[in-house]
Amino acid sequence: MHKMNTKIPHDQPKLVVPDTLVLPDVEKIRLGNGIPVFLLREGLQELVRIDFVFRAGRWYESRSLVAAATNALLNEGTTRYTSKQLAEALDYYGAYLQFYAEADRAGVILFCLAKFLDKTLPYVREILRDSVFPEHEITLHLDHSRQQFMINSERVSFLAKQAFMNTIFGTRHPYGRPVVKSDFDHVGRPDLVNHYQSCYGTRELTILVAGQWTASMPGLLEEHFGSTDWNHGHQGTEGPHSYDVPDIPKRHVVEKKDALQSAIRIGKPTINRMHPDYTGLRIATTILGGYFGSRLMKNIREDKGYTYGIGAQLVSFEQGGYFAVTSEVGSQVSRQAIKEVEYEMRTLCDTRIPEAELQLVRNYMLGNWMRLFDGPMVSAETYRVLTDYQLDDTYFQKAFDELKHMNGERIQSLARAYLDPEEMTEVIAGIY
């Protein structure tokens, strides 16, 4: 018998980093009423994704819960169709609608075969232009949301997140305004109708189309969404302008005596995508706690065993942003865990990162960047960054180039500017 060759080859495939990102071709047009449309032709399947994006998030709501409730109830009936009729019609053509409400934006995403767009777009038009928000559906939605809120309020992770946002932005700020149980009793149909009429008009809308759309696509969009009478009688959404900067405490504790684990959030308000330091700060954040081999994971999970997982994130909003380290740790070690987080922040500020570690993180992030345009569905989500923040088409290539050429000196400089542990606010939910 011949012996099997069990020798493992030592030669690894050569790592190749492309010089440029391969971005989808984007055609930009405007409908007759001024709505901007971005057309991304990608993919092999005859599947189309259409994002209808409105300036209708929490930043523009009159009180807590209004933006989310309005968006969630868009498809619960129009003057022409009941919610059942809408659901059955879309299901018949194999179409699917996804609804979302975020800090700044809210919208509807249509997934559909290209050949059925002429059949499905009229129903989307009805939802976006003529929703009626039945009282009984509002009551059901608020009852369900209240129950979910009460369940979440028993979780230390939820309590820590809400307290953190309240603390760093202030309780009157749209990004920090807390949700309390009584809010569910104060939201009514007039609030939703007003938000709908103020925020879901032509002046607030951007449309993104991705997939194998046909030559008839622009005409269909013009037919169903290009008329000048779709303004709901408003003059454009301004939203709030300024808020007093809160007196942010160093530490905020939400006590939960019976908690087996304590949720911690350590961070502060910081820059958003429009700031020139944003890409560099994302790299520093990744080094600290943005991937499985990060410094926080090695120290607090692997070495100390305080948690199953810990991470750092840099979150961007249109009107600001924040940095945060988040984790759930054993209640008896919450103080020690916070000290270790501060230690890793201080180390990043005081000591230049070794080139080998920087190269590892760079390769990890470059791989993630390449996946940002891996297919039409992902490309549409990525391209929304440009439209939401009104960035030009060179944004991603510039950020890609900055990532490739980032050095340890720059990382240390950014850490000193933004990640000083003395400037952080600590929020602990549970036992401290």
Side-chain angles (χ1 to χ4, degrees), residues 273 278-279 385-386 391-400:
R273 288 183 181 275
Y278 182 79
T279 297
V385 170
L386 302 185
L391 299 167
D392 63 42
D393 291 348
T394 65
Y395 171 78
F396 289 114
Q397 184 60 54
K398 289 177 180 177
F400 187 75

Side-chain angles (χ1 to χ4, degrees), residues 121-151:
L121 283 176
Y123 295 106
V124 179
R125 177 190 61 201
E126 287 289 317
I127 289 170
L128 297 181
R129 294 177 58 174
D130 204 21
S131 287
V132 294
F133 303 100
E135 288 279 8
H136 68 282
E137 295 292 349
I138 295 174
T139 300
L140 287 174
H141 171 78
L142 291 175
D143 285 346
H144 178 268
S145 298
R146 183 189 292 105
Q147 292 173 14
Q148 190 61 52
F149 174 79
M150 297 305 294
I151 293 171

